Amino acid sequence: MNKEASAVETHELFDYINDPLNAQQVKEVLGDTLIQEPEERALPDNRQQLILDRIFNHQSLPAKKFKHRVPGWVKLAAAILLFVLPGIYFLKNNNPKLAALSAINKPKQIDVQPGGNKAILTLGDGSKIVLDSAQNGLLAHQGNTKIVKSANGHINYDQTAKGNTTAIYNTMTTPRGGKYDLQLSDGTKVWLNASSSITYPIAFSGTERRVTITGEAYFEVAKNKEMPFKINVNGQEEVQVLGTHFNIMAYSDEAAVKTTLLEGSVKIVKDKLTSMLKPGQQAQLTTDGKLSVTDDADINAVMAWKNGQTLFVNEDIKTIMRQISRWYDIDVEYQGEMPTRLFTGGISRESNLSILLKVLELNKIHFKMAGKKLIVTP
């Protein structure tokens, strides 16, 4: 319905529509006129367009069907990605068929609320502001810069007059189970994932704009050819940009720092190693100092956290659990030998932990909770 589906996503939709197992469900929504026998389904391209036209013009669909029940594939078409509330689609062992799970909303003993907007702002004088409980409006006035919390919870740095205030640095830190976003004084927008931080001057001057991050952050850098934007990552890697959109994932418990470019260009610098990225590419700097570039980064997976989703694409259970631990603010313990198979799937980030665990349990992974510790068994 957003008309943003990629070719792969459109193919998944029609795979679902054309699957004989879903014929009755599809017929209820599309009616008889667009449903064909299996041997005919590969024929007309115009049939696909007719179906898409009917989806886009949803008022032409049977009113009762939409009033009482929206089938999963229609929700998939509307949402574009694999995320539907409260439905979840999960691909088991890289199976390309989407499986709608119907039992996920049942009450469960293990339940933890998802994370939300939580962060602490440390000012240049060392004082701290708990942002999730701070009132909207002016938070502080440092040098020539006002720090304002807007009605939608964003933090903005407004420089009221020219002046050299770059010696004043602030740090925004998100805990486990937290996220936050801010706009720097130059107009650059930054989104922080859970367990992350960014340190930055309250106003930029001189020949460059420089910040430091830990954890994961997404940047939309304001263009300024006279002042390149530079990011120190964990005190090791440097990312140099002029104006661009990109994501950096640099958690200390991950095997590599991953910088993924969505728009523009960035230069990765590590000692004598350098790499210039193009949109769609991802640079990976491993813990042993090796730098490599992937040409076909999964942008949907990279940007899922910022877009309110939890998404795993060909990930093992321990990688999944690290992400869960950060967002739900829990510890994880493993008992027994974990399976080596890979999982792909997704869920809204607003969902309780029990819903996500139900998906994994259907894939023969088991859990029990002891306080804030999640015990995982095969």
Side-chain angles (χ1 to χ4, degrees):
M1 287 183 175
N2 292 336
K3 299 185 180 180
E4 296 174 353
S6 68
V8 173
E9 291 160 343
T10 303
H11 181 73
E12 289 175 347
L13 172 63
F14 282 101
D15 269 357
Y16 190 98
I17 292 174
N18 293 333
D19 191 329
L21 295 176
N22 304 320
Q24 183 58 40
Q25 186 183 60
V26 173
K27 183 185 291 186
E28 289 177 0
V29 175
L30 294 179
D32 294 329
T33 57
L34 295 180
I35 302 303
Q36 297 175 305
E37 293 305 314
E39 61 271 13
E40 301 175 323
R41 283 178 178 154
L43 288 178
D45 291 339
N46 67 322
R47 173 176 171 269
Q48 291 195 358
Q49 188 57 51
L50 288 171
I51 290 174
L52 289 175
D53 289 345
R54 185 166 289 192
I55 292 172
F56 294 148
N57 185 21
H58 63 277
Q59 290 180 342
S60 67
L61 294 169
K64 289 185 178 180
K65 302 303 178 187
F66 272 85
K67 180 178 180 180
H68 297 294
R69 177 174 172 269
V70 182
W73 70 267
V74 177
K75 294 179 182 178
L76 175 62
I80 302 303
L81 297 175
L82 304 183
F83 306 94
V84 181
L85 282 175
I88 296 176
Y89 296 90
F90 214 85
L91 312 182
K92 180 181 178 182
N93 300 336
N94 303 320
N95 185 341
K97 295 295 182 181
L98 298 180
L101 305 177
S102 60
I104 59 176
N105 286 321
K106 294 181 180 179
K108 193 174 172 55
Q109 262 191 331
I110 299 176
D111 214 356
V112 177
Q113 296 291 319
N117 281 350
K118 302 174 186 176
I120 294 176
L121 180 62
T122 304
L123 303 180
D125 61 2
S127 59
K128 298 180 184 297
I129 301 174
V130 180
L131 295 177
D132 33 311
S133 59
Q135 296 288 330
N136 295 337
L138 183 64
L139 298 180
H141 202 154
Q142 294 181 294
N144 298 321
T145 303
K146 291 181 179 179
I147 306 173
V148 179
K149 180 180 178 181
S150 62
N152 55 13
H154 304 318
I155 300 301
N156 299 303
Y157 281 75
D158 298 327
Q159 195 169 0
T160 57
K162 296 293 183 180
N164 186 5
T165 55
T166 55
I168 303 176
Y169 282 79
N170 285 183
T171 299
M172 179 181 286
T173 306
T174 56
R176 289 198 310 181
K179 65 179 179 68
Y180 225 89
D181 60 271
L182 72 155
Q183 180 171 299
L184 303 177
S185 61
D186 67 334
T188 293
K189 297 179 181 178
V190 186
W191 286 258
L192 283 185
N193 202 352
S195 296
S196 303
S197 71
I198 178 169
T199 300
Y200 49 92
I202 64 171
F204 294 102
S205 66
T207 59
E208 65 181 22
R209 296 168 289 169
R210 185 179 291 272
V211 302
T212 300
I213 71 161
T214 64
E216 185 166 21
Y218 170 70
F219 288 83
E220 293 183 356
V221 176
K223 293 182 179 180
N224 186 340
K225 292 182 178 180
E226 304 302 320
M227 295 178 66
F229 198 95
K230 298 182 179 180
I231 305 170
N232 288 333
V233 184
N234 294 341
Q236 299 177 353
E237 180 185 6
E238 182 176 271
V239 178
Q240 301 178 4
V241 302
L242 292 175
T244 187
H245 298 182
F246 60 98
N247 189 83
I248 301 177
M249 193 275 285
Y251 289 111
S252 59
D253 57 353
E254 297 290 346
V257 174
K258 298 179 181 179
T259 303
T260 309
L261 182 63
L262 282 72
E263 177 184 308
S265 64
V266 300
K267 184 179 182 180
I268 311 299
V269 179
K270 167 60 176 173
D271 298 330
K272 295 182 179 181
L273 300 175
T274 63
S275 180
M276 185 70 74
L277 296 186
K278 298 177 181 179
Q281 291 184 325
Q282 180 183 87
Q284 297 190 24
L285 179 65
T286 59
T287 53
D288 59 1
K290 295 180 180 178
L291 180 62
S292 62
V293 175
T294 301
D295 289 329
D296 54 350
D298 191 328
I299 301 300
N300 286 336
V302 170
M303 294 304 299
W305 71 270
K306 188 258 181 183
N307 295 331
Q309 302 154 352
T310 296
L311 177 62
F312 316 116
V313 178
N314 294 336
E315 302 287 5
D316 60 44
I317 190 64
K318 290 189 176 181
T319 300
I320 294 173
M321 286 297 112
R322 286 196 296 272
Q323 189 171 341
I324 290 174
S325 173
R326 296 182 198 119
W327 184 236
Y328 290 94
D329 187 17
I330 57 172
D331 299 318
V332 177
E333 178 182 307
Y334 301 95
Q335 294 182 357
E337 186 174 350
M338 292 298 106
T340 58
R341 64 183 185 274
L342 304 179
F343 299 88
T344 296
I347 184 177
S348 165
R349 247 189 163 198
E350 300 300 316
S351 299
N352 286 359
L353 178 61
S354 61
I355 298 178
L356 181 53
L357 295 186
K358 183 64 177 179
V359 174
L360 294 171
E361 284 179 334
L362 292 175
N363 286 272
K364 299 181 181 179
I365 304 294
H366 305 287
F367 307 91
K368 61 181 178 180
M369 207 78 186
K372 287 190 67 174
K373 180 183 293 183
L374 181 68
I375 300 173
V376 186
T377 57

